[in-house]
Amino acid sequence: MAETSDFRPGEHAALFLLLLYAQKHGLVPDDDAVLARIGDMNMADWLLARSRLELFFEQGGGYWKPASLDWIRRTRDDES
């Protein structure tokens, strides 16, 4: 939470939507038009927010993967 305390409301929402997308699909395509659409932002707002949001993802191979997704999956699997 502290890492996002200076986010604007749209950035919080975009991060949440990107994480939900990744939870369902595993990876998020590294394409600004797609990322903006998933994050429910227009392109101008997305381009301003991208550098802040990308810190929560590992990037490679044309995709974004949430940095914490493996931890979330391990925790969920341990609870079942």
Side-chain angles (χ1 to χ4, degrees), residues 5-80:
S5 63
D6 63 341
F7 273 23
R8 294 183 304 263
E11 293 171 334
H12 278 117
L15 178 59
F16 179 70
L17 292 169
L18 290 165
L19 291 171
L20 285 177
Y21 182 95
Q23 182 179 11
K24 182 173 182 178
H25 301 284
L27 299 171
V28 183
D30 188 3
D31 176 303
D32 284 324
V34 174
L35 291 162
R37 187 170 55 251
I38 293 168
D40 195 28
M41 298 181 104
N42 63 48
M43 186 57 71
D45 287 340
W46 168 253
L47 293 174
L48 290 172
R50 180 185 168 116
S51 64
R52 294 160 64 93
L53 296 173
E54 69 186 1
L55 299 174
F56 295 87
F57 295 84
E58 297 170 4
Q59 299 170 35
Y63 292 95
W64 285 21
K65 174 184 165 191
S68 61
L69 190 58
D70 290 333
W71 176 83
I72 293 168
R73 285 190 178 138
R74 282 195 307 274
T75 303
R76 182 187 65 210
D77 292 344
D78 289 346
E79 291 175 356
S80 44

